[in-house]
Amino acid sequence: MPRPPNEPSWDCMLPGPPSKNNAGSADLSSAGLLAYAAGSSVAILDTHSMQLVSTLPLPASPSSAASPFITAVRWSPLPLPHHLLESETSSPHLMLSVGDRHGRISLLDFRSKSPILFLETNYPNSSKLGIQDLCWIQTRSDSWSLAAISGPSLLSIYNTATGRCFFKYDASPEYFSCLRRDPFDSRHFCALGLKGFLLSVKLLGDDSENDVVLKELQIRSDTSELQRLERDSSSSSSSSSSGGGGVNNGAPASALFPNYVVKFAFSPHWKHVVLVGFPREMVLFDLQYESVLFATGFPRGCGKFLEVLPDVNMEVFYCVHLDGKLSTWRRKEEEQLHIMCSMDELMPSIGTSVPSPLVLAVAISQSDYTLQDIHKLCPDSDLDVMDFSNPFDFLDESRIISKTHLISVSDDGKVWKWLLTAEGSRDSQKDIESAKRVTKVGEVSLAEIESRSEGFSAAEVTHVNDSNSREKRKSGPSTVADEVSFKMNLVGQLHLLSSAVTMLAVPSPSLTATSARGGNSPAVAVPLVALGTQSGTIDVIDISANAVAASFSVHNSVVRGLRWLGNSRLVSFSYTPGTEKTGGYVNKLVVTCLRSGLHRTFRVMQKPERAPIRALRSSSSGRYLLILFRDAPVEVWAMTKTPIMLRSLALPFTVLEWTLPTVPRPAQNKPSRTSSFLSKDRGGIPPISSPTKASSTDAKEGADGSKDEFSESFAFALVNGALGVFEVHGRRIRDFRPKWPSSSFVSSDGLITAMAYRLPHVVMGDRSGNIRWWDVTTGQSSSFNTHREGIRRIKFSPVVPGDNSRGRIAVLFYDNTFSVFDLDSPDPLANSLLQPQFPGTLVLELDWLPLRINKDDPLLLCIAGADSSFRLVELNVHDPKIGDFGSLAQPSKERFRPVPLPSPVLLPTPHALALRMVLQMGVKPSWFDAFSTAMNEAHIPGTPSAGDLRGYMIDSPRVGDSAVPEMLLKVLEPYRKEGGLLDEDRVRLYAKIVKKSSTLRLAFAAAIFGESMEALFWLQLPRALNHLMNKLVNKSAQKGPRTAHAPEIDEASMLSRISSKGKSVPGEKSILGNGQLKLMAFEQQELWERANERISWHEKLEGEESIQNRVHELVSVGNLEAAVSLLLSTSPESSYFYANALRAVALSSAVSSSLLELAVKVVAANMVRNDRSMSGTHLLCAVGRYQEACSQLQDAGCWTDAATLAATHLKGSDYARVLQRWAEHVLHAEHNIWRALILYVAAGALQEALAALRQAQLADTAAMFLLVCHETHSEFLSRLDSDEEATSSFKDKVPHLPGLNPVDEDVVAVGEYFGQYQRKLVHLCMDSQPYTD
């Protein structure tokens, strides 16, 4: 159910902290947006500025009131759409696939914050099959399918256009753990199980099961711990549920075994290679070889495995452990062996709570690599465009090999941003010199390749390309991997809600609340909300910025009560049970100053008390505090600098509430001229609310108009239902003497459980759902029943001068639902807002935010959800029916961001395309400076005025209409002024490349929108074009007269030289900093080197399948001698012996005759030794002995194959002999005479055919056989009449068919035998009686 596009969603929502129930689900898009699951919502962060962009709550299913935990999140891989539509209905590049614990899979749209589509997961027990993981798979150029793991072992694949499931695979008793897509082939993905089962899946379409190609593999690992966990799980479930049911009840692996994690990742450097992490070991597995390339256990001190993250820039991977540590592993040169080279903490021991928070999810940035490739292709020499102070500084870039950003999410609501750097040796001067030398070569390659590529000789181009590849790695020839150091630094952090929310407090100061600075200046209402949490911290939320402004670690246990004292102090309490010896409770009361951050405890007792504190109630001035105990008198405290207890009240109170600030009289206090924070025309930073909204809380103000600013009153209810109002005046407490209602308020059906008080009205709710209100000055009263469960909280909405509607209340029920009622209406129940219109979560606490100044301002309701989220919801005052959330005509503008949001991918699609085009054409870096037109205009030569933007475009070759760039710049002007296009790092990089080459600009524009493959294409395009032109130059040079030039590398001879040794050419290789450019390798030498390097990894692998793959690799690189040697080493007992023998002979013949003779001898000897003559048929074919090959095939029982071989290669009598032998087999072994006769005739063995008929005593058939043979022979001769010479010669040579001469004894015997047969038949016919019915 998509929302209407103009209806706003939550104006403010902060997600609760993620937990293990979210299964560590997080995904970092290539554009730098992090989405992670927090409770039943998805939090979306911009990782460049480390800001919360938005929170998407998942709607609840119709069967439940609350949304389930989200357990899987994946960004859509669709790129920014380039087609222009009239209306932007959806943003496929900003779409999320989300799976939850109830088994639902939905596609969420970022723009509308609502589901576009729910996939059809209605299989049996679907509500129990929680989602473990999701993975997008490409089926066509423009469509993707979604693979999902449901429950412990079900793999399903869905068509994302229709939501239909078209493939299912059940792997039980295996537990599926995760899904990953192959970076080399988007149609291919793998599913891994906890026991090492690996399912390789390739999609050829998205219509049916026939479009899915499967391959099942097994990775051997020690699963003894998992078996023990299974036994424990089954025993505990059987003991807890005697009624039966499944052991796991459909829960996914992450819920069944949360501390037994098995995950994998595809290597981004080598096809078919996957990195698999088991709890206590790492395995490198080759999908093609179906074998383990490398395995190692974790060293002592390493925690269990959590996640593996490969680095795209280097042949390095990072392993995250459950104990919050990060280990770095790099590959050794020329072999597939990884060693651990560093260990770091993802959860610093300083500044974190005890016990240390858990690292739940880790993601590695995909956007850094392409930008680094662009940076490395651009020399640093003439960086004079912009002069920023740069944390991403490139001054000592000669030592930097790679930079990678890592994002980690912990269960205390923090998101951490780490910078991982690989640096060369600091002391190696040789490295620095080589890096400088490389930089110079890089300049030549970039500046001159495009301008005069036709002038290069082959040697020059080869040299440039070689240098380019070294320059990309940023490590000189002497940079050995051992000299590389890996470092990790924390460069950013975002603090969201730290723990499950238990309390919510909103400041509502009256005019008598003075500011903390002292003096008599009154306190103002601030846009802050305080939240108490389960961990004992107090988080203060800044509503205007939708962020956590401060977090105070106050208590060691759950915050059970929280109240504001004025607008800058908080009072909170917690309690813990005493020791077993002493018993009782230890109550802790703390006053926290928001400005100084200091905490001061008061009411400190020497020993535990008998009763715990039940609640706190602070007056709106912040001067008085009521402390309610469970079974002890209420204490009244004056909250001075050192709090003083005034007295205790030993009455059986059930509820107590101070009066709220009343509306000031317009004559006394004129409304402030400051624009309202909530008014319709709000623009930039909101002003602080005016103090005129509050008033004195004098207890007598409503009655006689007198004013005493130092007295405040509170209303109460007793256990017997009696009501009362007390007032506190200085240190005295006296009865207010209210006017009692005419009818009795004593409740016969339940205690009063909630109360709200604002002079002159007291509103009460009881545990039967009744709401009563009473005017303490007139005695008027009324009541109605909500027909709901008991009432837990009642909150008066804030009022302002001129607002006639004072009776609006929010009511929270014990079932965690709420309603809003208007007590001024004749029928409050008819005009109520019920909670089902507020989807997604149950409500723990609620209160109004008292920031209204104007009567036209909307009401704001603060809600603490059961999913630990904080939400702010608008209600429009003027709506005829109160029950409408978000009924403003326009969506609320985002109010305030302390830092701009530099994420171009979030722009509306047309604007994003405009920015993309501007970056491609080339815009001066000064355009990105938000203050350039105002501040720096005089300092930047050639800076245009604000009205004329054409001067910002650089002088580059124009494509299309020259007026378009200026129009695009005008469209983007609002974003530019806010500084919300690109962050400084990327602006600095763009400043370096903007005038270098158009391909770098095109690559940059693609990279910032997350389209890395397009960026790589642009980076590689110049090399490809030069390669092409080189060939054209060499070709024309060969046709013309030969001239002396630089020595040219003969690729063919070089490859043959190399292949004879099987080793790579001498040159510099590095496992570090290869970058992604090699994914688009095309040059012969580059491709050959990469293939040749793989060979050395597999030399130690054993097994027949491995040999097959190794031979294929050796043949591919032209090393035929090594391939023949490997094939001849096959044991005669091997099932691959005959195939390898055949290939050894064939390949040896391509090398030399001597190698061929050697291969033939070895193979023949092995065949004889093993008595497998059939295996020699291919060998015999290779040397032209087809007759013998057919005989061997027939000896081995391959009759059809022998005939096929004979039909291909044999003629005449040789072919006939094969067929005749086959006929004898069919006749005597298969007992099929008719098929044998055909074969005999085809072989020309007519006598044998007759003999077979006679032996079978088929006299009539034998005669008919002879008849047909003679007739056919005659007809054949008659057709030859056209060629008389040929006919006469043929008649002379073949007067009759061979073996069927009429005078032959066998032929005569057939005739005679047939005569006897006929006669006997006649007699039998005469002797037989006719048959009648």
Side-chain angles (χ1 to χ4, degrees):
M1 48 169 203
R3 296 177 194 268
N6 64 339
E7 183 181 344
S9 54
W10 318 124
D11 305 312
C12 168
M13 178 173 176
L14 284 176
S19 68
K20 280 207 165 188
N21 292 319
N22 293 117
S25 51
D27 193 28
L28 183 58
S29 76
S30 54
L33 293 178
L34 175 74
Y36 72 91
S40 58
S41 304
V42 179
I44 297 177
L45 275 64
D46 171 55
T47 57
H48 297 105
S49 60
M50 290 303 286
Q51 292 187 81
L52 180 69
V53 176
S54 182
T55 306
L56 311 184
L58 188 67
S61 60
S63 60
S64 63
S67 298
F69 285 106
I70 292 175
T71 54
V73 174
R74 283 284 178 267
W75 281 107
S76 158
L78 290 164
L80 178 74
H82 291 217
H83 51 270
L84 300 175
L85 300 175
E86 292 295 329
S87 61
E88 186 186 1
T89 55
S90 66
S91 303
H93 61 296
L94 293 176
M95 187 168 59
L96 280 163
S97 59
V98 175
D100 62 34
R101 185 53 62 81
H102 286 180
R104 295 185 306 166
I105 303 173
S106 57
L107 303 182
L108 284 181
D109 179 44
F110 171 82
R111 303 262 190 231
S112 65
K113 301 187 180 181
S114 61
I116 303 171
L117 178 71
F118 280 98
L119 304 186
E120 297 176 5
T121 55
N122 52 350
Y123 33 75
N125 301 322
S126 62
S127 61
K128 297 179 180 179
L129 294 179
I131 304 301
Q132 169 78 11
D133 202 4
L134 298 170
C135 185
W136 291 85
I137 315 299
Q138 191 166 20
T139 50
R140 286 188 291 273
S141 61
D142 59 344
S143 68
W144 293 72
S145 294
L146 191 66
I149 297 174
S150 305
S153 56
L154 182 65
L155 172 68
S156 308
I157 306 179
Y158 298 88
N159 182 320
T160 54
T162 62
R164 182 179 62 88
C165 176
F166 64 91
F167 175 78
K168 290 179 183 176
Y169 180 95
D170 194 344
S172 54
E174 174 63 280
Y175 300 93
F176 270 140
S177 173
C178 72
L179 301 170
R180 295 291 183 269
R181 185 172 68 248
D182 189 345
F184 293 92
D185 186 354
S186 298
R187 302 169 302 160
H188 175 234
F189 73 99
C190 288
L192 178 66
L194 294 183
K195 300 175 183 176
F197 173 70
L198 189 69
L199 183 68
S200 173
V201 186
K202 192 169 187 177
L203 292 191
L204 306 178
D206 54 6
D207 295 325
S208 68
E209 293 184 356
N210 299 329
D211 296 327
V212 183
V213 180
L214 297 178
K215 188 176 183 181
E216 298 176 355
L217 305 168
Q218 183 69 40
I219 305 173
R220 297 190 179 277
S221 178
D222 181 14
T223 58
S224 56
E225 182 183 355
L226 180 61
Q227 292 168 2
R228 178 177 56 79
L229 292 172
E230 282 186 276
R231 286 194 300 269
D232 296 344
S233 173
S234 59
S235 61
S236 63
S237 64
S238 60
S239 61
S240 62
S241 58
S242 57
V247 172
N248 53 47
N249 205 19
S254 58
L256 292 172
F257 313 111
N259 293 324
Y260 193 94
V261 182
V262 176
K263 289 185 179 178
F264 80 102
F266 280 92
S267 167
H269 304 281
W270 304 103
K271 198 171 184 179
H272 308 304
V273 174
V274 293
L275 307 160
V276 185
F278 291 99
R280 299 195 183 278
E281 68 171 334
M282 280 298 302
V283 174
L284 213 68
F285 189 79
D286 195 314
L287 296 174
Q288 184 184 15
Y289 277 64
E290 301 181 17
S291 58
V292 174
L293 298 177
F294 167 72
T296 181
F298 292 130
R300 191 173 293 178
C302 270
K304 284 187 179 179
F305 169 82
L306 176 65
E307 183 69 270
V308 58
L309 303 164
D311 194 320
V312 177
N313 246 9
M314 311 176 289
E315 296 208 45
V316 167
F317 68 84
Y318 308 99
C319 191
V320 186
H321 304 269
L322 283 176
D323 58 3
K325 292 182 179 177
L326 178 87
S327 56
T328 304
W329 301 71
R330 62 168 176 79
R331 184 172 75 85
K332 289 190 72 175
E333 291 278 359
E334 297 189 359
E335 55 183 318
Q336 202 52 273
L337 174 70
H338 287 74
I339 55 174
M340 191 176 86
C341 43
S342 72
M343 177 77 82
D344 296 284
E345 294 271 358
L346 283 175
M347 193 57 59
S349 54
I350 300 175
T352 55
S353 58
V354 178
S356 182
L358 295 175
V359 175
L360 297 178
V362 184
I364 195 165
S365 171
Q366 303 294 326
S367 57
D368 294 336
Y369 308 126
T370 319
L371 292 176
Q372 279 189 64
D373 283 335
I374 295 171
H375 170 259
K376 290 175 181 179
L377 287 172
C378 185
D380 302 340
S381 56
D382 52 351
L383 178 53
D384 56 358
V385 188
M386 300 188 75
D387 186 20
F388 291 121
S389 56
N390 184 11
F392 203 71
D393 202 3
F394 300 117
L395 290 178
D396 195 16
E397 201 66 5
S398 59
R399 292 196 304 110
I400 300 290
I401 298 170
S402 172
K403 292 186 177 184
T404 303
H405 282 104
L406 197 76
I407 308 294
S408 62
V409 182
S410 53
D411 67 352
D412 60 349
K414 292 189 179 76
V415 182
W416 313 68
K417 182 180 181 181
W418 306 90
L419 179 63
L420 309 176
T421 55
E423 298 181 6
S425 173
R426 190 181 297 255
D427 303 324
S428 178
Q429 187 65 28
K430 196 173 178 181
D431 290 350
I432 297 173
E433 290 174 1
S434 65
K436 290 178 180 176
R437 193 166 60 247
V438 161
T439 303
K440 293 176 182 176
V441 177
E443 290 173 12
V444 174
S445 67
L446 272 169
E448 300 183 7
I449 276 181
E450 294 181 357
S451 62
R452 54 183 184 85
S453 58
E454 65 277 2
F456 276 135
S457 68
E460 286 175 314
V461 173
T462 303
H463 176 63
V464 167
N465 289 342
D466 237 0
S467 306
N468 236 353
S469 63
R470 283 201 301 275
E471 199 270 336
K472 279 184 291 180
R473 292 193 288 267
K474 276 292 179 186
S475 59
S478 60
T479 304
V480 185
D482 293 336
E483 299 174 358
V484 175
S485 60
F486 295 89
K487 297 180 181 178
M488 185 172 81
N489 293 306
L490 181 65
V491 293
Q493 188 189 67
L494 176 64
H495 188 155
L496 297 175
L497 298 183
S498 57
S499 180
V501 176
T502 57
M503 297 303 298
L504 179 147
V506 172
S508 183
S510 67
L511 273 181
T512 58
T514 56
S515 64
R517 292 187 298 271
N520 293 320
S521 55
V524 295
V526 288
L528 298 175
V529 175
L531 300 175
T533 67
Q534 204 159 359
S535 63
T537 59
I538 296 174
D539 292 333
V540 181
I541 310 301
D542 183 352
I543 298 299
S544 58
N546 191 21
V548 177
S551 184
F552 303 101
S553 182
V554 181
H555 299 273
N556 296 323
S557 58
V558 180
V559 178
R560 300 180 184 272
L562 181 65
R563 284 290 183 269
W564 285 84
L565 301 173
N567 69 354
S568 61
R569 291 192 302 161
L570 290 166
V571 58
S572 58
F573 84 89
S574 65
Y575 63 78
T576 52
T579 62
E580 293 183 5
K581 185 177 180 181
T582 59
Y585 296 89
V586 179
N587 292 309
K588 182 179 180 182
L589 281 153
V590 183
V591 174
T592 302
C593 177
L594 264 62
R595 286 192 171 91
S596 66
L598 297 176
H599 313 298
R600 177 174 293 182
T601 58
F602 68 100
R603 199 187 173 278
V604 180
M605 299 295 178
Q606 298 299 320
K607 57 182 181 179
E609 301 175 76
R610 181 177 60 84
I613 299 177
R614 180 159 61 96
L616 299 177
R617 295 290 182 264
S618 62
S619 67
S620 56
S621 69
R623 293 168 182 252
Y624 301 107
L625 179 71
L626 299 174
I627 304 175
L628 285 73
F629 293 85
R630 192 168 289 170
D631 291 308
V634 170
E635 296 180 0
V636 185
W637 286 70
M639 299 306 292
T640 54
K641 188 172 184 180
T642 301
I644 306 167
M645 191 177 94
L646 301 181
R647 61 173 295 179
S648 64
L649 303 173
L651 289 173
F653 297 106
T654 57
V655 288
L656 286 164
E657 291 293 341
W658 291 94
T659 181
L660 291 168
T662 53
V663 187
R665 296 178 181 177
Q668 295 174 351
N669 298 298
K670 295 181 180 179
S672 168
R673 283 173 291 182
T674 314
S675 64
S676 166
F677 165 60
L678 294 166
S679 60
K680 296 289 191 301
D681 58 347
R682 53 187 176 267
I685 299 175
I688 295 177
S689 303
S690 166
T692 58
K693 70 161 285 298
S695 77
S696 165
T697 55
D698 173 40
K700 298 180 181 177
E701 183 183 2
D704 55 8
S706 64
K707 189 171 176 68
D708 183 356
E709 64 178 358
F710 295 106
S711 71
E712 294 179 90
S713 63
F714 62 88
F716 60 85
L718 303 180
V719 174
N720 61 1
L723 305 174
V725 180
F726 286 168
E727 70 174 347
V728 184
H729 185 212
R731 296 194 173 196
R732 293 169 298 164
I733 298 177
R734 62 193 179 198
D735 191 356
F736 178 72
R737 298 189 187 90
K739 188 164 184 180
W740 300 105
S742 55
S743 60
S744 172
F745 254 32
V746 177
S747 174
S748 60
D749 51 358
L751 290 173
I752 292 178
T753 54
M755 179 180 283
Y757 178 30
R758 180 173 58 214
L759 276 171
H761 298 111
V762 176
V763 181
M764 294 147 289
D766 62 26
R767 62 184 180 189
S768 301
N770 298 305
I771 291 180
R772 301 175 174 83
W773 66 271
W774 160 44
D775 189 322
V776 298
T777 58
T778 65
Q780 292 179 345
S781 65
S782 178
S783 67
F784 65 95
N785 194 305
T786 60
H787 306 290
R788 307 280 290 280
E789 290 189 26
I791 296 169
R792 201 170 83 196
R793 297 273 187 276
I794 299 177
K795 298 290 182 180
F796 265 118
S797 66
V799 289
V800 294
D803 188 357
N804 297 321
S805 175
R806 299 186 176 205
R808 195 169 277 120
I809 58 171
V811 179
L812 178 63
F813 298 96
Y814 273 112
D815 61 357
N816 296 110
T817 61
F818 76 92
S819 295
V820 176
F821 300 102
D822 188 353
L823 299 181
D824 292 339
S825 67
D827 187 358
L829 205 59
N831 290 325
S832 68
L833 165 71
L834 296 180
Q835 191 262 345
Q837 291 174 287
F838 173 79
T841 184
L842 298 173
V843 179
L844 286 182
E845 293 287 344
L846 55 76
D847 204 345
W848 300 96
L849 192 68
L851 288 181
R852 295 176 72 211
I853 295 174
N854 192 304
K855 65 179 181 179
D856 295 326
D857 291 343
L859 292 166
L860 292 179
L861 194 61
C862 302
I863 289 173
D867 60 352
S868 296
S869 65
F870 170 77
R871 311 181 192 213
L872 189 71
V873 188
E874 284 189 8
L875 276 83
N876 196 329
V877 180
H878 299 291
D879 199 275
K881 182 177 180 182
I882 188 174
D884 188 14
F885 274 125
S887 53
L888 297 174
Q890 295 290 330
S892 300
K893 183 183 184 297
E894 191 157 23
R895 298 190 174 100
F896 174 67
R897 278 199 183 276
V899 179
L901 190 64
S903 188
V905 75
L906 295 176
L907 301 181
T909 303
H911 294 176
L913 293 173
L915 176 62
R916 179 188 168 94
M917 186 174 294
V918 165
L919 292 173
Q920 290 173 337
M921 290 181 172
V923 63
K924 292 178 181 176
S926 59
W927 178 72
F928 290 100
D929 186 358
F931 305 103
S932 63
T933 55
M935 296 172 57
N936 302 339
E937 188 174 346
H939 304 290
I940 301 177
T943 301
S945 65
D948 184 9
L949 298 173
R950 286 173 295 180
Y952 277 118
M953 301 300 293
I954 67 169
D955 297 327
S956 63
R958 281 281 172 262
V959 180
D961 193 338
S962 60
V964 167
E966 183 184 9
M967 299 177 188
L968 299 181
L969 290 176
K970 285 182 179 178
V971 168
L972 296 171
E973 190 67 9
Y975 302 110
R976 183 192 73 84
K977 286 183 176 178
E978 292 181 5
L981 288 173
L982 294 178
D983 58 288
E984 283 191 3
D985 289 343
R986 290 185 289 180
V987 170
R988 193 174 303 107
L989 175 58
Y990 185 73
K992 294 174 61 178
I993 66 160
V994 64
K995 294 183 178 179
K996 295 295 178 186
S997 72
S998 57
T999 53
L1000 290 178
R1001 291 199 303 272
L1002 292 163
F1004 180 87
I1008 65 165
F1009 286 100
E1011 297 170 28
S1012 55
M1013 291 308 292
E1014 181 191 345
L1016 293 176
F1017 161 74
W1018 291 119
L1019 292 178
Q1020 198 76 331
L1021 185 59
R1023 292 185 65 197
L1025 291 172
N1026 279 288
H1027 181 75
L1028 171 63
M1029 289 185 281
N1030 249 337
K1031 294 178 70 174
L1032 295 175
V1033 168
N1034 291 338
K1035 191 173 182 181
S1036 59
Q1038 288 172 5
K1039 290 181 180 178
R1042 295 186 63 86
T1043 57
H1045 58 276
E1048 189 173 313
I1049 293 180
D1050 183 359
E1051 293 176 342
S1053 62
M1054 182 180 69
L1055 286 178
S1056 64
R1057 268 204 323 274
I1058 297 164
S1059 64
S1060 64
K1061 296 178 182 178
K1063 296 292 181 183
S1064 58
V1065 286
E1068 298 79 24
K1069 297 199 306 295
S1070 173
I1071 63 166
L1072 302 168
N1074 287 328
Q1076 280 187 311
L1077 284 173
K1078 61 189 178 185
L1079 294 179
M1080 292 190 177
F1082 58 87
E1083 292 183 351
Q1084 289 169 295
Q1085 180 177 345
E1086 196 173 3
L1087 290 169
W1088 185 88
E1089 283 182 354
R1090 281 180 58 76
N1092 208 60
E1093 186 174 357
R1094 290 179 65 111
I1095 294 175
S1096 60
W1097 309 346
H1098 305 137
E1099 289 175 349
K1100 297 179 182 178
L1101 291 180
E1102 298 178 353
E1104 296 172 346
E1105 289 290 345
S1106 299
I1107 289 178
Q1108 302 303 309
N1109 288 309
R1110 287 176 60 195
V1111 169
H1112 179 69
E1113 288 181 336
L1114 290 167
V1115 172
S1116 299
V1117 300
N1119 194 347
L1120 301 184
E1121 292 182 9
V1124 170
S1125 174
L1126 190 61
L1127 289 167
L1128 291 179
S1129 67
T1130 308
S1131 166
E1133 287 78 19
S1134 168
S1135 60
Y1136 287 94
F1137 178 76
Y1138 73 94
N1140 290 357
L1142 167 64
R1143 287 189 292 171
V1145 171
L1147 292 173
S1148 61
S1149 64
V1151 178
S1152 65
S1153 58
S1154 59
L1155 186 61
L1156 174 62
E1157 292 179 12
L1158 173 66
V1160 170
K1161 290 178 182 178
V1162 173
V1163 171
N1166 282 331
M1167 287 178 178
V1168 171
R1169 180 161 59 92
N1170 201 41
D1171 194 23
R1172 292 180 66 178
S1173 57
M1174 169 192 167
S1175 304
T1177 57
H1178 297 174
L1179 175 64
L1180 293 169
C1181 290
V1183 293
R1185 306 298 293 273
Y1186 298 108
Q1187 183 73 57
E1188 296 176 25
C1190 289
S1191 298
Q1192 287 194 353
L1193 282 173
Q1194 289 180 328
D1195 290 341
C1198 301
W1199 298 96
T1200 307
D1201 293 341
T1204 305
L1205 183 64
T1208 306
H1209 297 287
L1210 299 180
K1211 297 180 180 179
S1213 59
D1214 293 338
Y1215 181 53
R1217 278 196 290 273
V1218 174
L1219 289 185
Q1220 185 170 343
R1221 189 178 174 194
W1222 188 14
E1224 290 172 356
H1225 165 76
V1226 170
L1227 178 64
H1228 299 296
E1230 298 182 11
H1231 309 292
N1232 189 337
I1233 188 174
W1234 308 110
R1235 189 175 168 208
L1237 288 174
I1238 291 295
L1239 292 173
Y1240 275 130
V1241 172
L1246 299 180
Q1247 286 180 315
E1248 284 77 6
L1250 273 180
L1253 287 171
R1254 287 174 61 185
Q1255 189 176 0
Q1257 299 182 353
L1258 298 175
D1260 57 334
T1261 306
M1264 296 301 110
F1265 172 74
L1266 287 175
L1267 177 63
V1268 171
C1269 287
H1270 290 305
E1271 286 183 357
T1272 306
H1273 181 250
S1274 302
E1275 289 176 5
F1276 182 77
L1277 292 178
S1278 64
R1279 287 199 296 270
L1280 295 177
D1281 286 343
S1282 58
D1283 188 355
E1284 293 184 357
E1285 290 187 9
T1287 302
S1288 59
S1289 63
F1290 182 80
K1291 287 182 179 179
D1292 294 339
K1293 292 181 180 178
V1294 189
H1296 43 72
L1297 289 173
L1300 293 186
N1301 193 331
V1303 298
D1304 285 347
E1305 293 182 2
D1306 292 336
V1307 176
V1308 172
V1310 168
E1312 293 178 352
Y1313 189 75
F1314 181 60
Q1316 294 175 4
Y1317 174 80
Q1318 288 176 314
R1319 288 189 290 271
K1320 187 175 183 180
L1321 180 60
V1322 171
H1323 288 298
L1324 290 174
C1325 290
M1326 292 178 69
D1327 293 343
S1328 298
Q1329 296 293 324
Y1331 170 75
T1332 59
D1333 293 331

